[in-house]
Amino acid sequence: MRGYDEITAFLGEWGPHQKLVFFVLSLSVFPNGFGGLSIVFVGDVPEHRCSIPRNLNLSEAWMNRTIPLEQERGKLQYSKCRRYRLDVIVNLSETFTEPDSFNMSEVEQEPCLNGWEYSKDQYISTIVSEWDLVCNNDWKMPFSMSIYFLGVLTGSLFSGMLSDGFGRKTVLFGTMAVQTGFNMLQVFSPNWEIFCLINFLIGFGQVSNYVAAYVLGSELLGRKSIRVTYSTLGVGISYACGYMFLPLVAYFIRSWWMLLFTLSLVGLLYIPLWWYIPESPCWLLLKGRVQEAKTILQHAAEKNGVTLPEMLFNDIELDDIKDKNVKSFTITRLVKNSNIRGITIINLIVWMILAVGYYGLSLNTPNLAGDDYLNCFFAGAIEIPANIAAWLLLRRLSRKFSLSGSLFFGGIVLFFIQFIPPNLSILATVLVMVGKLANTCAFAIIYAYTAELYPTVVRNTGVGVSLMASRLGSIISSYVFFLGVYYEFLPYILMGSLTVFSATLVLLLPETVNVALPDTIDQVQKMAGFKSVCCNRYYSKKNETAGENSMVVI
């Protein structure tokens, strides 16, 4: 019985139709590269100190001494959250002409009761200076990003259902409209709470757009090797270009609301793509819209210069396509069987750690030595060789060792950043970029690897649950570099250790390269490379009690 890929094999593997689909769908991912990471500049924290009222009749010398000096990361700096009590300072200024003649350490301190003054050297405004997200409210900035990733998590839960219910193309453009519209609306946020609410909706739309583009490309590009190229070079490099586009725009636009508005306008440029991206014929067949599917396949055949077969498919083959795509197993099937349970647990841990590392490194760009805009640009540019490396590894080497090796290398690099002396801070920045390259490469590999680990009957469910785990990791990532307040290198130590740990876990997974994709759960049980130790011991003991010499492995 022919499947959908065999039915559409007459189109060829890499004709004008496939090339056009590859290009325009890759292009649709471009806004995703800067959408979620715009907070790097929109939410950056400018230099700030307590605001001092100008009507206090203080001399310039006394005004300069109203802010206490504090040690921060080995440097003596003006306090960002405290000031000396102003009523005491005014009284002292009437007694002492020069503040140096009095010991200021004896003066009581107070919080910034009159707000803050923010440096305009780098930014005209950010959401931090707009709504005073500093000192006791400094938790609100990373929370703004966590809210975005919570929207991404929610979108992950519903994007598949939306795509299956309304069509890949409809959801792709519908969610692109959601991103563009709410990005424009976010510019007019009257307060931080409304900004966060809209950020949630933007996150929901963005991941649904990404998933729809990924699924649509997988269904329109027939051959497996082309799909791998699309998921790494196509989607990955387009995303990286969007990432690199962000600092270029942010360099010239230093106001947070103007930056968001300018980035949102990019979405309007994608309206013409509606006439170039077809709906998935596979989805149309599943919905019984056979004539529409034939029309799209006829158009594709004409583009490729081939003839549409007189008998494209019959009713039996249509029923077979529907049967293969029915979700006959629930999420519980991922944990009921010992072998799949082990694969699922390891996948969840590895995906979560990967997301913590990727977004943690991406969001930490402003804290690196050197120019913020160049660092962000390099962080995006490094993803291009990372995706090329992932593509080459997927084509030539073992999935398991490629993923484990990338994770191990990235983790070791991040862990050793703590040993770089302060006078070589640029070297530390270089190591961060190398760690991000390895992390991005691993992320590209794990998409393909996870899909190959699960059998057909639970493949969509397995990949979907893994993606949800990564969304939880991205929510946590917003606070990872918050730990740097306690110790500068603690975030790198944490991420490096976790990444090396995940590299070890990957070695327990079965290999999938040059192995036929499993269709049933029974076939997964026969895959070599992973055994559930606890279950083996249990069944071995049970068999010994029964007088059997062999051990049953499930």
Side-chain angles (χ1 to χ4, degrees), residues 331-402:
I331 195 172
T332 58
R333 298 298 295 183
L334 298 179
V335 294
K336 280 187 176 181
N337 176 276
S338 64
N339 213 17
I340 291 185
R341 179 167 60 246
I343 290 172
T344 300
I345 292 172
I346 291 174
N347 262 334
L348 295 181
I349 296 172
V350 174
W351 275 84
M352 185 179 295
I353 292 173
L354 260 175
V356 169
Y358 178 84
Y359 288 104
L361 293 172
S362 299
L363 296 174
N364 187 53
T365 303
N367 297 326
L368 299 177
D371 183 81
D372 292 349
Y373 301 96
L374 280 177
N375 287 341
C376 186
F377 180 83
F378 290 140
I382 205 74
E383 296 201 3
I384 293 179
N387 279 283
I388 293 174
W391 176 66
L392 292 173
L393 291 171
L394 286 170
R395 284 171 59 90
R396 300 178 183 276
L397 300 177
S398 157
R399 303 284 196 261
K400 177 167 65 174
F401 291 107
S402 296

Side-chain angles (χ1 to χ4, degrees), residues 154-165 171 204 207-209 211-212:
T154 308
S156 299
L157 294 172
F158 291 100
S159 59
M161 291 183 286
L162 290 172
S163 186
D164 289 339
V171 171
F204 182 95
V207 71
S208 300
N209 152 243
V211 171

Side-chain angles (χ1 to χ4, degrees), residues 95-171:
T95 306
F96 301 94
T97 306
E98 295 294 333
D100 292 336
S101 57
F102 184 82
N103 186 3
M104 297 297 292
S105 62
E106 299 178 7
V107 180
E108 187 180 350
Q109 297 181 15
E110 63 184 4
C112 301
L113 301 177
N114 299 99
W116 289 262
E117 293 178 359
Y118 297 92
S119 169
K120 303 287 186 181
D121 291 343
Q122 184 169 350
Y123 302 105
I124 296 173
S125 67
T126 69
I127 62 169
V128 173
S129 61
E130 184 81 13
W131 296 305
D132 289 333
L133 308 184
V134 293
C135 299
N136 290 337
N137 288 323
D138 58 0
W139 61 272
K140 290 184 177 181
M141 207 299 291
F143 185 78
S144 305
M145 199 64 219
S146 292
I147 285 292
Y148 168 84
F149 286 121
L150 185 60
V152 171
L153 173 61
T154 308
S156 299
L157 294 172
F158 291 100
S159 59
M161 291 183 286
L162 290 172
S163 186
D164 289 339
F166 298 100
R168 288 41 166 146
K169 180 178 177 179
T170 302
V171 171

Side-chain angles (χ1 to χ4, degrees), residues 18-35:
Q18 287 91 342
K19 292 176 183 177
L20 179 64
V21 167
F22 185 98
F23 175 75
V24 293
L25 280 177
S26 298
L27 193 62
S28 73
V29 177
F30 180 83
N32 294 68
F34 57 74

Side-chain angles (χ1 to χ4, degrees), residues 89-299:
I89 293 293
V90 171
N91 291 333
L92 287 172
S93 67
E94 294 173 354
T95 306
F96 301 94
T97 306
E98 295 294 333
D100 292 336
S101 57
F102 184 82
N103 186 3
M104 297 297 292
S105 62
E106 299 178 7
V107 180
E108 187 180 350
Q109 297 181 15
E110 63 184 4
C112 301
L113 301 177
N114 299 99
W116 289 262
E117 293 178 359
Y118 297 92
S119 169
K120 303 287 186 181
D121 291 343
Q122 184 169 350
Y123 302 105
I124 296 173
S125 67
T126 69
I127 62 169
V128 173
S129 61
E130 184 81 13
W131 296 305
D132 289 333
L133 308 184
V134 293
C135 299
N136 290 337
N137 288 323
D138 58 0
W139 61 272
K140 290 184 177 181
M141 207 299 291
F143 185 78
S144 305
M145 199 64 219
S146 292
I147 285 292
Y148 168 84
F149 286 121
L150 185 60
V152 171
L153 173 61
T154 308
S156 299
L157 294 172
F158 291 100
S159 59
M161 291 183 286
L162 290 172
S163 186
D164 289 339
F166 298 100
R168 288 41 166 146
K169 180 178 177 179
T170 302
V171 171
L172 174 64
F173 284 91
T175 51
M176 286 175 72
V178 167
Q179 286 183 73
T180 302
F182 281 109
N183 267 316
M184 289 183 174
L185 188 62
Q186 195 172 38
V187 169
F188 303 100
S189 301
N191 51 52
W192 173 75
E193 289 77 11
I194 297 298
F195 180 91
C196 287
L197 174 61
I198 297 175
N199 224 25
F200 173 86
L201 297 172
I202 292 172
F204 182 95
Q206 189 168 58
V207 71
S208 300
N209 152 243
Y210 185 90
V211 171
Y214 192 88
V215 172
L216 187 55
S218 298
E219 292 177 350
L220 289 173
L221 300 169
R223 190 179 174 185
K224 182 180 177 181
S225 61
I226 304 299
R227 292 171 184 168
V228 170
T229 304
Y230 169 71
S231 64
T232 51
L233 299 187
V235 171
I237 291 180
S238 181
Y239 180 94
C241 290
Y243 195 155
M244 294 158 61
F245 178 71
L246 171 63
L248 294 177
V249 177
Y251 180 81
F252 295 102
I253 302 175
R254 304 298 180 98
S255 169
W256 73 269
W257 63 269
M258 191 63 188
L259 175 59
L260 284 182
F261 183 76
T262 303
L263 292 174
S264 67
L265 293 177
V266 176
L268 300 178
L269 302 178
Y270 287 84
I271 295 175
L273 294 186
W274 175 268
W275 288 275
Y276 293 95
I277 297 177
E279 181 56 271
S280 166
C282 183
W283 179 81
L284 291 171
L285 292 174
L286 288 173
K287 294 298 179 181
R289 295 158 62 174
V290 178
Q291 191 55 48
E292 293 177 60
K294 284 184 177 179
T295 301
I296 291 173
L297 292 173
Q298 173 68 50
H299 182 68

Side-chain angles (χ1 to χ4, degrees), residues 281-548:
C282 183
W283 179 81
L284 291 171
L285 292 174
L286 288 173
K287 294 298 179 181
R289 295 158 62 174
V290 178
Q291 191 55 48
E292 293 177 60
K294 284 184 177 179
T295 301
I296 291 173
L297 292 173
Q298 173 68 50
H299 182 68
E302 291 173 359
K303 273 188 173 296
N304 283 357
V306 298
T307 304
L308 193 74
E310 291 184 12
M311 185 63 178
L312 191 57
F313 36 66
N314 55 47
D315 292 339
I316 297 176
E317 288 175 332
L318 287 175
D319 290 338
D320 185 57
I321 291 172
K322 293 180 181 180
D323 289 341
K324 286 183 178 179
N325 286 273
V326 170
K327 295 179 180 179
S328 55
F329 291 89
T330 63
I331 195 172
T332 58
R333 298 298 295 183
L334 298 179
V335 294
K336 280 187 176 181
N337 176 276
S338 64
N339 213 17
I340 291 185
R341 179 167 60 246
I343 290 172
T344 300
I345 292 172
I346 291 174
N347 262 334
L348 295 181
I349 296 172
V350 174
W351 275 84
M352 185 179 295
I353 292 173
L354 260 175
V356 169
Y358 178 84
Y359 288 104
L361 293 172
S362 299
L363 296 174
N364 187 53
T365 303
N367 297 326
L368 299 177
D371 183 81
D372 292 349
Y373 301 96
L374 280 177
N375 287 341
C376 186
F377 180 83
F378 290 140
I382 205 74
E383 296 201 3
I384 293 179
N387 279 283
I388 293 174
W391 176 66
L392 292 173
L393 291 171
L394 286 170
R395 284 171 59 90
R396 300 178 183 276
L397 300 177
S398 157
R399 303 284 196 261
K400 177 167 65 174
F401 291 107
S402 296
L403 178 58
S404 180
S406 299
L407 289 168
F408 184 80
F409 176 67
I412 290 295
V413 167
L414 294 178
F415 186 81
F416 278 97
I417 288 176
Q418 61 183 307
F419 301 113
I420 304 298
N423 61 324
L424 295 177
S425 56
I426 296 298
L427 177 59
T429 299
V430 171
L431 290 182
V432 169
M433 295 300 170
V434 173
K436 190 172 187 297
L437 183 147
N439 186 281
T440 303
C441 180
F443 232 135
I445 293 171
I446 201 172
Y447 269 93
Y449 188 29
T450 300
E452 294 173 355
L453 283 170
Y454 289 106
T456 302
V457 291
V458 291
R459 183 167 295 125
N460 285 339
T461 305
V463 174
V465 170
S466 300
L467 281 169
M468 286 171 57
S470 77
R471 305 313 175 197
L472 290 173
S474 61
I475 293 172
I476 297 169
S477 69
S478 305
Y479 290 94
V480 167
F481 278 92
F482 211 57
L483 298 173
V485 174
Y486 305 102
Y487 177 54
E488 183 179 358
F489 297 107
L490 183 57
Y492 296 112
I493 295 171
L494 178 63
M495 286 192 301
S497 302
L498 288 175
T499 304
V500 170
F501 171 68
S502 67
T504 306
L505 287 180
V506 168
L507 295 175
L508 299 175
L509 293 172
E511 183 54 71
T512 61
V513 70
N514 298 325
V515 176
L517 290 179
D519 288 320
T520 66
I521 292 176
D522 288 338
Q523 289 174 342
V524 175
Q525 291 176 303
K526 297 173 185 176
M527 293 177 72
F530 178 86
K531 291 180 173 60
S532 180
V533 177
C534 62
C535 293
N536 289 346
R537 287 176 179 172
Y538 170 78
Y539 279 93
S540 176
K541 188 176 293 185
K542 184 177 179 180
N543 292 338
E544 287 174 8
T545 304
E548 296 178 9

